[in-house]
């Protein structure tokens, strides 16, 4: 264990994995299956997928907590598998659960993190004060962490994770369980950090979060990446620009067949609660067409709507199922 | 602050500062909760010496054989009990400060998640906890000893004499060994099973750990001519600790020191090795 290992293989990427795999003991299928991932410095990179897709395992391997079964991973030019202790100098981690030190005050949680990362007492004190100010926690500095709301605790965890200026900030489902307001506040914080050059890798199953925040998104399912691009390009690649929803009485399967047969550009028609959802290539003059086809076919439409395609649409297109499934 | 894309410090350097910070954090928490620490440290020893060395002589309940006149037997018992009380205090401190704490941090608080993110090998996080636990064990030995030796009925007097070189070597060694036991127990039991740990591990250790009696006096407990109890308790690490405290603090008969030192050290090494293995298994997946 000597000098920081400098591997040339990351070639400009701040995270690079080659065939990274993890199979947990007593599991037949790999949680992560030969994953190849490249993250550029300065990106907000999102791993989007349903529960069990392998996002958290991927983040776990990159943050040294999950031991890969095979493959390679490099973070900031350090081999994660061979030098986990060195990698920990380069990363900041915000986990799903609240892991704040319950025995310490809000300020002490930051201060001792600084000491842990070798910043020295004076510098740690100074950075603690700056971060308390920046994360709007200055009035809470001397309070117990028990006094914090969920959103505040989350902010403190982010402040703690960036304390030592990590090359990559990892966030695992950062807004799961937060109220909408706290979620927006956290997004703002992350965008602000990113604008100052912070590379961020986050896992999420909220498509809005990936859409809103990420420069690039890897859509994962069953341990594999199904698609990887910017949210805009992912949506463009669909060939569908909108999602049609129709609520109707009666037999839905027949109506779905009718739509796909009779109207150009209707794809991925599937049943949802009380009606149907379908991807459409062009929303123009679509609604009158749908209604007239429905009437001609003897179906009574209760409600009809069009909305823009989202990453969820992309996910459904790729897997045939909901993100929430 | 500029963002470094490569590590700026060697693992050795970052581990050293991390170890220091982990121990400092634990000592700060100890300082914050010092009253509580003293309370829980003193409660059990105080009750033990109060009942055995004050109440029993007062009500004429015989302990210690009582063959050498009015209080002679009781004083002899006091001489046996005071080192035993110091021994269980050290053991309880190891269990309290490491086992109970760790099991909570692995369980509902999840604090361990963050601590193992420290820029050092994962095992060092556990070692840091053992070191600060050992420091707490030392402090508890220092505060329990005077209390245990002053609470007694008139005429009952523990016959204490310090063997300094044993005190300054054996007590720290014992503290590390007993906090290593705490590490092993804390990484083996889920928080919901802590009650089981006390019932099935801690209580037998205490009652069969030579706290209230000398190991050499167990010989009469026999089946045929087999000293079964005296043999059985040899698997209990607390026996060696209690006998060691007798060697350090009194002039009564005790096990040979050349058995006590290597066995306490050996138990310490085994507990530490198994504890670190469990710790890594719990943290990594």
């Amino acid at each position: 264990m000597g000098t920081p290992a400098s591997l040339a293989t990351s070639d400009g990427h701040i995270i690079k994995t080659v065939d990274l795999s993890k199979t947990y003991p007593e599991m037949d299928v790999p949680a992560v299956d030969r994953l190849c991932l490249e993250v550029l410095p300065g990106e907000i990179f999102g791993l989007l997928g349903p529960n069990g897709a392998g996002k958290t395992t991927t983040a776990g391997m990159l943050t040294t907590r999950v031991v890969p079964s095979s493959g390679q991973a490099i973070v900031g030019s350090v081999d994660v598998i061979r030098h986990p202790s060195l990698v920990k100098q380069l990363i900041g981690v915000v986990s799903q659960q609240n892991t704040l030190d319950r025995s310490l005050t809000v300020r002490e949680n930051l201060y001792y993190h600084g000491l842990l990362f070798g910043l020295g007492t004076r510098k740690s004190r100074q950075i603690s004060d700056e971060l308390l100010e920046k994360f709007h926690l200055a009035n809470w500095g001397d309070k117990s962490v028990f006094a914090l709301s969920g959103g505040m605790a989350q902010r403190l965890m982010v402040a703690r994770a960036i304390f030592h200026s990590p090359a990559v900030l990892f966030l695992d489902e950062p807004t799961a369980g937060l109220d909408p307001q706290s979620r927006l506040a956290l997004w703002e914080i992350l965008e602000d950090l990113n604008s100052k050059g912070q590379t961020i890798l986050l896992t999420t199953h909220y498509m809005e979060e990936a859409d809103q925040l990420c420069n690039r998104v890897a859509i994962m399912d069953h341990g594999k990446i199904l698609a990887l691009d910017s949210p805009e390009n992912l949506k463009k690649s669909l060939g569908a620009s909108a999602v049609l929803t129709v609520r109707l009485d009666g037999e839905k399967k027949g109506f779905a067949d009718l739509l796909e047969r009779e109207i150009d550009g209707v794809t991925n028609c599937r049943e949802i609660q009380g009606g149907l959802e379908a991807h459409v290539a062009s929303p123009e003059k679509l609604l009158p067409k749908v209604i007239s086809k429905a009437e001609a076919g003897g179906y009574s439409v209760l409600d009809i709507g069009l909305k823009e395609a989202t990453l969820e649409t992309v996910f459904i297109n790729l897997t045939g199922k909901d993100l929430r499934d | 602050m500029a963002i470094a894309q490569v590590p700026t410090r060697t693992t050795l350097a970052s581990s050293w500062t991390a170890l220091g910070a982990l121990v400092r954090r634990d000592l700060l928490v100890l300082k914050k909760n010092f009253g509580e620490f003293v309370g829980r440290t003193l409660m059990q020893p105080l009750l033990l010496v109060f009942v055995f060395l004050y109440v029993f002589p007062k009500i004429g309940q015989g302990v210690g054989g009582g063959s050498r006149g009015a209080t002679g037997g009781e004083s002899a018992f006091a001489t046996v009990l005071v080192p035993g009380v110091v021994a269980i205090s050290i053991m309880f401190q190891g269990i309290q400060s490491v086992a109970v704490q760790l099991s909570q941090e692995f369980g509902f608080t999840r604090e361990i998640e963050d601590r193992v993110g420290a820029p050092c090998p994962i095992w060092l996080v556990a070692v840091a906890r053992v070191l600060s636990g050992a420091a707490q064990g030392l402090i508890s030995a220092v505060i329990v000893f005077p209390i245990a030796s002053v609470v007694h009925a008139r005429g009952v007097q523990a016959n204490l004499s310090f063997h300094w070189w044993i005190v300054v070597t054996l007590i720290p060694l014992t503290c590390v060994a007993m906090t290593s036991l705490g590490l092993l127990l804390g990484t083996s039991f889920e928080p919901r099973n802590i009650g089981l740990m006390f019932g099935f591990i801690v209580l037998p250790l205490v009652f069969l750990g030579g706290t209230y009696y000398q190991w050499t006096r167990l010989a009469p407990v026999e089946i045929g001519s087999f000293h079964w109890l005296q043999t059985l308790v040899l698997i209990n690490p607390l026996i060696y600790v209690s006998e060691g405290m007798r060697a350090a603090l009194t002039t009564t008969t005790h096990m040979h020191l050349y058995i006590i030192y290597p066995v306490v050290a050996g138990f310490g090494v085994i507990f530490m090795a198994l504890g670190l293995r469990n710790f890594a298994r719990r943290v990594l997946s």
Side-chain angles (χ1 to χ4, degrees), chain A residues 4 14 22 64-67 76-78 85-86 88-90 98-103 108 117 160 165 167, chain B residues 1 3-9 11 14 21 25 28 32 109-111 113-116 118 120-121 283-285:
Chain A
I14 196 139
K22 175 66 182 180
T64 78
R65 291 297 302 285
V66 176
V67 183
S77 83
V78 179
S85 303
L86 279 179
K88 287 191 272 185
Q89 285 187 45
L90 295 179
N98 177 344
T99 61
L100 294 170
D101 194 328
R102 314 296 203 273
S103 313
E108 285 163 350
F117 280 78
R160 184 176 65 172
S165 308
Chain B
M1 213 162 98
I3 295 171
Q5 312 272 7
V6 289
T8 49
R9 297 180 301 148
T11 303
S14 66
R25 177 260 168 209
L28 172 79
K32 281 186 174 189
T109 76
R110 307 302 300 169
E111 282 171 27
E113 297 276 338
D114 184 67
R115 220 155 289 153
V116 297
C120 63
V283 169
L284 296 174
S285 50

Side-chain angles (χ1 to χ4, degrees), chain B residues 11-264:
Chain B
T11 303
L12 190 66
S14 66
S15 299
W16 181 246
T17 46
L19 176 65
L22 288 165
V23 173
R24 272 177 77 170
R25 177 260 168 209
D26 288 347
L27 296 183
L28 172 79
V29 174
L30 175 66
K31 198 173 109 190
K32 281 186 174 189
N33 304 325
F34 198 72
E36 187 191 312
F37 168 80
V38 171
R40 73 160 195 250
T41 303
L42 283 183
M43 201 43 146
Q44 189 186 29
L46 209 57
L47 288 171
L48 277 175
V49 292
F50 174 70
V51 170
F52 285 123
L53 304 185
Y54 182 80
V55 177
F56 275 26
K58 281 275 180 201
I59 64 178
Q61 186 119 321
V63 285
S67 57
R68 283 180 285 158
T71 54
E74 280 141 358
S75 290
F77 178 64
T79 311
V80 168
L81 185 66
V82 169
V85 161
V86 174
I88 52 168
S89 302
I90 292 173
M91 188 187 88
F92 265 92
Q93 211 47 249
I95 286 164
Q96 187 72 41
S97 66
V98 182
V100 175
Q101 278 286 332
L102 263 187
S103 127
Q104 283 178 1
E105 290 171 14
F106 271 118
F108 71 96
T109 76
R110 307 302 300 169
E111 282 171 27
I112 209 76
E113 297 276 338
D114 184 67
R115 220 155 289 153
V116 297
C120 63
I122 279 169
W123 56 263
L124 199 65
V125 176
V127 169
R129 178 51 60 86
V130 167
L131 289 180
S132 48
Q136 296 184 38
L138 270 182
I139 298 170
S140 65
V142 168
I143 53 183
V144 163
F145 179 69
I147 300 290
S149 43
V150 296
V151 177
H152 48 70
R154 188 182 299 269
V156 177
Q157 185 71 57
N159 187 9
L160 301 172
S161 80
F162 272 100
H163 303 275
W164 278 109
W165 66 272
I166 307 178
V167 169
V168 299
T169 53
L170 190 62
I171 291 185
L173 177 66
T174 301
C175 290
V176 173
M178 290 293 106
T179 35
S180 299
L181 172 63
L183 176 68
L184 176 58
L185 294 177
T187 52
S188 307
F189 285 86
E190 300 284 334
R192 64 196 155 84
N193 291 334
I194 280 290
L196 275 182
M197 179 189 88
F198 275 99
F200 285 91
I201 310 264
V202 179
L203 279 182
L205 284 183
V206 169
F207 280 91
L208 301 173
T211 313
Y212 314 110
Y213 43 80
Q214 286 155 282
W215 178 75
T216 43
R217 301 279 295 274
L218 288 178
V221 185
E222 57 190 0
I223 296 174
S225 61
F226 176 54
H227 311 302
W228 66 271
L229 187 59
Q230 199 172 31
T231 314
L232 181 71
V233 297
L234 289 177
I235 60 168
N236 184 347
L238 193 60
I239 265 286
Y240 305 91
V241 174
S242 304
E243 290 288 296
M245 292 306 122
R246 275 177 203 122
L249 304 172
T250 70
T251 52
T252 52
T253 53
H254 52 78
M255 234 180 227
H256 282 299
L257 281 172
Y258 57 73
I259 293 174
I260 290 171
Y261 275 98
V263 173
V264 172

Side-chain angles (χ1 to χ4, degrees), chain A residues 244-293:
Chain A
L244 168 74
T245 350
V246 183
R247 301 195 160 285
L248 77 162
D249 276 339
E251 207 262 321
K252 284 152 197 123
K253 182 75 177 67
F255 187 63
D257 293 342
L258 179 91
L259 277 181
E260 290 197 351
R261 195 172 60 236
E262 303 267 325
I263 304 178
D264 283 345
V266 171
T267 50
N268 278 303
C269 214
R270 51 188 207 108
E271 283 187 38
I272 55 166
Q273 184 75 34
L276 292 171
E277 202 177 78
H279 296 170
V280 292
S282 160
E284 259 173 57
K285 294 181 191 149
L286 180 77
L287 297 186
K289 240 187 272 179
V290 173
I291 292 174
S292 67
K293 294 284 177 195

